[in-house]
Amino acid sequence: MEIVKIDTAAKTIQKVEDYVAEEKPLHILINKKHYATIMCTPKDLKEMVVGHLLSEGIVKTLEEIREITMKEEGICYVNLKPEINIESRLKLASHIYRIIPSACGGTYTPQILKRLKPVQSAVRVRAETIQDCVKNLNLMAETFRKTGGVHAAAIYKADGTLMAFAEDAGRRNAVDKTIGKCALNNVAFKECFLALSGRLSADMVLKAAKVGIPIIASIAAALDSGIEIAKMANLTLIGFVRGKRMNVYNAPERILLS
């Protein structure tokens, strides 16, 4: 789009073409009933819906989804198998009929925490692998370089093999997209780690814990709420992964120095 760029040092005003990150509503209907409207970057939408349903606990496995149909007008129809009690799942998720802005921070309730199971994984990852993979986010983040308006997330195997990458205006959406991509390709989450650009809040850690990802690493900081959930879920939480340094807030035994 055309913008006006002002440079006070050069004392210039000029009209230029520039890239702007997209944000559009996606309306999700489960069994023909409105579940949520998510503001997101309109790319990898089916994957985002799959990842969102898994990471929010609406479905427990990919097999519970009978069909997903995407419509051009920004509507996604999700058809679950008839034996799934969707009303019960929605009550436990505590997020029914909602609008989710891209910049939101999620919420969690005592009911969700009671049902949170510790992550079971014997995976070990070299510290240098974590550093290299987080650094690679910047190299892969083409939309961020153009617009500066999106977050990036990626899921890697323990040896650093990339399994999924996504960008979105919302950091939660970026994570959901990578989870959905991996789920659709039958990736074993317990053998992987999640790398992202956003801060490590409770909602982000919960998403990883619910699908069994044992390690999260970010360029950004960890919040106390995220650390609390990581401890409850036996999840390795790493923040400020920059250069040759990183801060490990929980379960450092999964990180190897050599």
Side-chain angles (χ1 to χ4, degrees):
M1 66 174 293
E2 186 177 75
I3 67 168
V4 175
K5 183 170 288 188
I6 298 175
D7 187 332
T8 56
K11 299 187 183 302
T12 59
I13 298 177
Q14 58 181 346
K15 291 182 179 180
V16 298
E17 289 292 323
D18 200 5
Y19 293 99
V20 176
E22 288 186 90
E23 183 183 53
K24 304 291 184 182
L26 177 66
H27 309 284
I28 302 173
L29 286 79
I30 301 179
N31 295 346
K32 298 182 179 180
K33 292 185 178 180
H34 181 260
Y35 159 67
T37 295
I38 300 179
M39 299 302 297
C40 59
T41 300
K43 184 180 180 182
D44 300 326
L45 295 181
K46 178 181 178 180
E47 292 83 356
M48 186 187 74
V49 171
V50 169
H52 178 84
L53 296 178
L54 285 168
S55 69
E56 292 290 323
I58 305 302
V59 299
K60 296 180 180 178
T61 65
L62 191 62
E63 288 69 31
E64 292 184 344
I65 302 174
R66 174 182 280 180
E67 184 180 23
I68 294 180
T69 305
M70 304 295 305
K71 297 293 185 179
E72 290 183 2
E73 56 268 30
I75 300 175
C76 175
Y77 293 95
V78 180
N79 186 11
L80 301 183
K81 290 185 175 179
E83 62 267 24
I84 306 302
N85 188 335
I86 185 59
E87 295 300 327
S88 175
R89 296 280 179 88
L90 289 174
K91 287 179 181 178
L92 289 172
S94 75
H95 297 305
I96 187 167
Y97 308 131
R98 56 184 181 164
I99 296 176
I100 308 174
S102 61
C104 78
T107 60
Y108 59 94
T109 66
Q111 290 78 10
I112 292 176
L113 298 185
K114 286 180 182 179
R115 295 170 58 84
L116 183 62
K117 297 180 180 179
V119 173
Q120 302 294 329
S121 173
V123 73
R124 299 290 186 271
V125 181
R126 294 175 62 249
E128 289 185 354
T129 300
I130 297 282
Q131 291 166 340
D132 290 342
C133 290
V134 171
K135 180 181 178 180
N136 284 341
L137 286 177
N138 291 327
L139 300 177
M140 295 184 290
E142 181 180 352
T143 304
F144 176 79
R145 289 197 300 274
K146 288 181 177 180
T147 68
V150 297
H151 286 279
I155 292 177
Y156 296 90
K157 293 293 287 290
D159 64 358
T161 301
L162 178 67
M163 306 308 294
F165 172 79
E167 293 180 277
D168 196 278
R171 56 197 176 92
R172 291 161 55 90
N173 297 340
V175 169
D176 282 341
K177 287 177 179 180
T178 59
I179 289 174
K181 288 181 178 182
C182 286
L184 290 168
N185 288 308
N186 298 312
V187 174
F189 289 113
K190 67 179 181 179
E191 299 173 3
C192 300
F193 66 92
L194 170 65
L196 60 148
S197 61
R199 65 187 185 277
L200 299 168
S201 54
D203 54 309
M204 301 295 279
V205 181
L206 274 168
K207 283 182 176 294
K210 285 181 180 178
V211 298
I213 296 175
I215 301 170
I216 306 179
S218 177
I219 300 169
L223 303 185
D224 63 342
S225 61
I227 297 171
E228 177 186 0
I229 299 299
K231 290 181 177 178
M232 296 178 66
N234 186 36
L235 188 148
T236 302
L237 192 67
I238 310 170
F240 291 118
V241 183
R242 301 173 184 180
K244 296 297 182 180
R245 297 183 179 182
M246 61 176 72
N247 293 348
V248 183
Y249 300 95
N250 190 62
E253 63 274 8
R254 292 195 179 102
I255 307 303
L256 306 174
L257 282 179
S258 60

